[in-house]
């Protein structure tokens, strides 16, 4: 085997019909079966005047050819096996369930929201009727907040072996093989529901259980050991352990932990706005193209960061969850609040580009909310979301301002077209944001405008608020056993517990927690 890098044109790299043939041609190989070429990494290089695509390939002789993925959906029957309760069916919960099944343990998943198909009706109600179902929305429901998102599969984790495994499991359940080698892989909001349904089929087919519209309202604790959970209907689900994978927006679960005096901690997060540009403008900036990017280059993205200084204190300002060719969506989880997030379809073909631009907040900022103890950050977050709703009229219309107007503290007499379906209300966003966040954002946008010419323009607008970047609470766990230090049998997991930041890292953490549960109950580790 040898690793080689070749350079392709965008057409050669992103035309599915030409890609594989182009690899062989550039390497000077015949597609006659003597050699097998496998792409390892594909990335756009827009640094020069001519945009190229760099592809790293492994070249094997035919005798050493191996399957593209080794993972198979060949699960043991766990219908009558010992069980573990999983609260939440986001990436952490679903991947924990698959890993438990691989170890011969029956997962029992409790999901407060609806399955992916029924969930669409709840999303339509938010967008069209401004009705927020607290149990089924863009954050809650089968697949979690990742289901109706861009489906980004990028993680900063250095555990590349684990990442490769997660990618293979996704491909085995229907994701395109290109996620195995694209530098910034994504699946797309239109493709994710089908993939989630396939994972559900694997879990149910092996004898696991999934209960939708089943909200956990209490814990069953005996002698500092979590024996099970109680649901809104009064039903009790018991198991050898409970994996708590509720996501970053399950405020009622954080409050329940606090009521039971189960140790939780406040943690820093980030909060700001979502900026929306024309995708064509971002393409012109990033690809140096005079008009549009053409039919083969993917919609361009960006990553920006700046250190602002406000009242003598430095604040990180950075882009978050950038969605090229995407949409801004309403991500509130309760009536009376406005929260925005971003998503993209697999083709990323919307005429809009949007990104969260957020400011780091710390425990020091939560001091005015100290009466709430470890929930101080959560109440800080909620108050801003409620204010956003109030100033925009009390519906799911979002407060917005043209970008330069926001930077110069001017009211916007009019707003631009938007991808945000519930609509926008022109307001001065200083009515919504704390002063230190607003000033940090102003400094950040000025800096971004110097880095990306034409980025700072009144032909873009900012929409509030981008507040659910990560959990405002951390549920502590033992570093080695991953069990809560105070309550036996409780395994905090994923984004909601403060241990992940996206689909892949949450899935990896779900697997780790499943393996930790197996170790605790005496089940041998399996590869």
């Amino acid at each position: 085997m040898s690793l080689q890098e070749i350079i392709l044109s965008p057409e050669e790299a992103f035309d599915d019909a030409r890609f594989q043939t182009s690899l062989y041609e550039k390497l000077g190989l015949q597609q006659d079966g003597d050699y097998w070429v496998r792409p390892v990494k594909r990335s756009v290089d827009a640094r020069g005047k001519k945009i190229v695509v760099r592809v790293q390939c492994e070249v094997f002789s035919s005798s050493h050819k191996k399957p593209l993925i080794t993972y198979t959906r060949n699960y043991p029957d766990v219908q009558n096996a010992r069980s573990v309760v999983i609260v939440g069916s986001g990436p952490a919960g679903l991947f924990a369930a698959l890993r438990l099944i691989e170890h011969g343990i029956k997962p029992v998943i409790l999901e407060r929201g609806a399955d992916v198909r029924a969930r669409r009706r709840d999303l339509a109600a938010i967008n069209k009727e401004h009705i927020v179902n607290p149990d089924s929305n863009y954050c809650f429901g089968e697949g979690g907040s990742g289901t109706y998102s861009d489906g980004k599969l990028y993680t900063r984790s250095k555990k590349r072996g684990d990442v490769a495994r997660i990618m293979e499991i996704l491909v085995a359940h229907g994701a395109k093989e290109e996620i195995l080698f694209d530098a910034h892989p994504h699946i797309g909001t239109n493709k994710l529901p089908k993939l989630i349904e396939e994972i559900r089929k694997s879990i149910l087919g092996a004898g696991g259980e999934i209960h939708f519209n089943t909200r956990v309202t209490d814990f069953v604790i005996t002698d500092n050991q979590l024996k099970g959970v109680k649901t809104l209907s009064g039903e009790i689900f018991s198991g050898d352990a409970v994996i708590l994978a509720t996501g970053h927006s399950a405020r009622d679960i954080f409050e329940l932990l606090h009521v039971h005096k189960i140790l939780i901690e406040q943690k820093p997060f980030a909060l700001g706005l979502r900026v929306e540009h024309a995708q064509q403008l971002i393409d012109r900036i990033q690809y140096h193209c005079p008009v549009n990017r053409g039919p083969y280059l993917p919609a361009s993205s960006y990553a920006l960061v700046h250190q602002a200084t406000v009242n003598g204190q430095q604040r990180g300002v950075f882009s978050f969850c950038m969605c090229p060719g995407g949409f801004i969506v309403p991500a509130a989880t309760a009536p009376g609040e406005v929260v925005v997030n971003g998503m993209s379809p697999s083709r990323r073909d919307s005429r809009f580009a949007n990104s969260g631009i957020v400011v780091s907040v710390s425990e020091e900022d939560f001091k005015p909310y100290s009466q709430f103890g470890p929930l101080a950050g959560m109440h800080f977050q909620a108050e801003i979301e409620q204010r956003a709703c109030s100033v925009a009229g009390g519906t799911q219309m979002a407060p917005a301002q043209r970008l330069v107007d926001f930077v110069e503290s001017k009211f916007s007499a009019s707003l631009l077209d938007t991808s945000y379906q519930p609509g926008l209300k022109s307001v001065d966003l200083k009515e919504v944001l704390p002063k230190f966040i607003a000033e940090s954002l102003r400094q950040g946008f000025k800096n971004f405008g110097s880095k990306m010419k034409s980025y700072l323009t009144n032909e873009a607008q900012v929409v509030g608020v981008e507040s659910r970047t990560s959990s405002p609470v951390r549920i502590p766990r033992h570093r080695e056993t991953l069990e809560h230090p105070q309550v036996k049998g409780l395994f905090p997991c994923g984004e909601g517990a403060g241990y992940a930041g996206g689909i892949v890292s949450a899935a990896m953490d779900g697997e780790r927690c499943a393996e930790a549960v197996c170790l605790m109950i005496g089940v041998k580790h399996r590869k």
Side-chain angles (χ1 to χ4, degrees):
M1 181 198 78
S2 63
L3 183 66
Q4 298 188 44
E5 181 178 273
I6 60 175
I7 295 176
L8 301 179
S9 69
E11 183 177 359
E12 291 169 327
F14 293 112
D15 183 337
D16 290 343
R18 292 188 59 179
F19 179 53
Q20 199 69 26
T21 300
S22 296
L23 296 182
Y24 281 86
E25 288 178 353
K26 293 287 182 177
L27 291 167
L29 300 174
Q30 298 292 323
Q31 286 183 275
D32 54 9
D34 287 344
Y35 290 94
W36 178 55
V37 179
R38 175 176 178 171
V40 175
K41 184 178 180 181
R42 178 172 66 180
S43 58
V44 176
D45 185 347
R47 291 173 295 181
K49 288 184 178 181
K50 184 179 180 182
I51 298 172
V52 298
V53 181
R54 296 184 180 276
V55 183
Q56 292 181 356
C57 300
E58 291 176 335
V59 181
F60 298 86
S61 64
S62 57
S63 60
H64 290 88
K65 183 175 180 179
K66 58 183 180 181
L68 190 63
I69 65 170
T70 57
Y71 190 89
T72 60
R73 294 168 64 175
N74 184 22
Y75 299 105
D77 184 354
V78 296
Q79 185 172 0
N80 299 313
R82 58 201 304 183
S83 64
V84 168
V85 175
I86 300 173
V87 184
S89 71
L94 291 175
F95 276 76
L98 291 176
R99 195 66 175 137
L100 288 173
I101 290 170
E102 290 172 358
H103 283 75
I105 296 171
K106 178 180 180 177
V108 179
I109 299 177
L110 308 180
E111 170 54 56
R112 68 190 297 161
D115 65 80
V116 286
R117 289 185 182 273
R119 192 176 169 192
R120 288 175 180 152
R121 292 193 291 270
D122 298 313
L123 303 187
I126 300 173
N127 281 305
K128 297 175 183 178
E129 303 169 45
H130 300 250
I131 297 171
V132 180
N133 181 338
D135 288 322
S136 188
N137 43 61
Y138 276 97
C139 289
F140 300 145
E142 186 178 19
S145 60
T147 301
Y148 294 98
S149 72
D150 190 44
K152 295 179 186 67
L153 302 177
Y154 173 72
T155 177
R156 292 182 178 86
S157 172
K158 301 302 181 184
K159 296 183 178 180
R160 298 308 303 173
D162 289 343
V163 173
R165 174 182 156 82
I166 299 301
M167 297 299 195
E168 288 204 10
I169 293 173
L170 291 171
V171 170
H173 286 89
K176 281 191 170 184
E177 294 173 353
E178 62 194 33
I179 70 169
L180 300 171
F181 55 81
D182 272 338
H184 295 284
H186 72 105
I187 296 175
T189 187
N190 55 319
K191 301 288 183 68
L192 276 161
K194 178 63 177 172
L195 190 149
I196 296 299
E197 286 180 332
E198 289 300 311
I199 293 177
R200 183 210 308 163
K201 288 178 185 177
S202 287
I203 294 169
L204 296 179
E209 295 180 16
I210 304 177
H211 300 267
F212 296 113
N213 303 304
T214 304
R215 191 203 313 169
V216 170
T217 56
D218 207 355
F219 300 128
V220 180
I221 302 173
T222 305
D223 298 327
N224 287 330
Q225 182 159 356
L226 187 57
K227 299 289 188 178
V229 296
K230 187 176 182 180
T231 68
L232 185 62
S233 66
E235 189 173 1
I236 292 176
F237 289 85
S238 301
D240 288 333
V242 174
I243 295 176
L244 197 62
T246 55
H248 57 43
S249 293
R251 290 172 174 165
D252 54 343
I253 294 295
F254 299 148
E255 290 171 345
L256 181 61
L257 291 162
H258 192 45
V259 166
H260 276 279
K261 295 182 169 55
I262 295 173
L263 183 63
I264 56 176
E265 304 164 346
Q266 62 181 359
K267 66 176 274 293
F269 58 102
L271 188 147
L273 302 168
R274 192 153 278 266
V275 64
E276 186 171 59
H277 291 81
Q279 180 63 50
Q280 194 174 71
L281 172 63
I282 301 302
D283 290 339
R284 287 203 300 266
I285 296 171
Q286 298 295 77
Y287 289 151
H288 333 295
C289 50
V291 182
N292 60 59
R293 66 180 184 268
Y296 295 105
L297 278 171
S300 63
S301 62
Y302 59 82
L304 295 166
V305 63
H306 175 66
Q307 284 294 115
T309 302
V310 179
N311 299 324
Q313 181 180 349
Q314 284 201 323
R315 299 269 182 184
V317 184
F318 55 95
S319 56
F320 170 82
C321 185
M322 197 273 150
C323 295
F327 306 88
I328 300 178
V329 297
T333 52
E337 65 189 27
V338 166
V339 181
V340 295
N341 199 354
M343 71 178 193
S344 299
S346 59
R347 292 174 62 87
R348 289 179 165 175
D349 53 1
S350 160
R351 61 190 178 96
F352 298 101
N354 70 77
S355 178
I357 304 295
V358 294
V359 178
S360 299
V361 294
S362 67
E363 289 95 330
E364 187 72 18
D365 301 313
F366 309 149
K367 279 191 173 180
Y369 305 84
S370 59
Q371 71 268 32
F372 299 108
L375 300 179
M378 187 183 84
H379 284 271
F380 167 85
Q381 182 188 59
E383 184 178 287
I384 296 171
E385 296 168 357
Q386 291 159 10
R387 197 155 60 235
C389 182
S390 177
V391 301
T395 66
Q396 282 303 295
M397 288 187 74
Q401 204 167 355
R402 292 204 186 206
L403 180 53
V404 174
D405 289 345
F406 170 74
V407 171
E408 296 180 354
S409 299
K410 296 178 181 177
F411 178 79
S412 296
S414 65
L415 296 172
L416 305 162
D417 287 345
T418 181
S419 64
Y420 183 74
Q421 286 190 39
L424 304 178
K425 176 72 178 290
S426 183
V427 306
D428 189 336
L429 285 164
K430 69 183 180 185
E431 296 180 42
V432 177
L433 298 171
K435 288 183 180 179
F436 76 88
I437 290 180
E439 177 55 29
S440 297
L441 288 170
R442 290 188 189 101
Q443 292 182 28
F445 281 123
K446 289 178 182 177
N447 176 265
F448 300 160
S450 69
K451 292 175 177 175
M452 293 176 64
K453 188 178 179 182
S454 302
Y455 181 92
L456 182 56
T457 172
N458 246 8
E459 292 305 303
Q461 57 198 359
V462 283
V463 181
V465 288
E466 173 79 44
S467 51
R468 307 286 178 93
T469 55
S470 65
S471 176
V473 170
R474 178 178 289 109
I475 308 172
R477 66 188 188 190
H478 190 277
R479 187 171 182 177
E480 299 298 327
T481 67
L482 307 189
E483 196 172 22
H484 192 277
Q486 186 184 47
V487 180
K488 293 181 178 179
L490 171 58
F491 289 80
C493 182
E495 282 202 47
Y499 299 102
I503 291 173
V504 173
S505 59
M508 290 166 61
D509 201 58
E511 289 207 325
R512 289 185 65 212
C513 285
E515 289 164 2
V517 167
C518 293
L519 193 62
M520 186 270 288
I521 63 180
V523 174
K524 290 184 178 180
H525 176 77
R526 299 182 185 181
K527 289 186 179 180

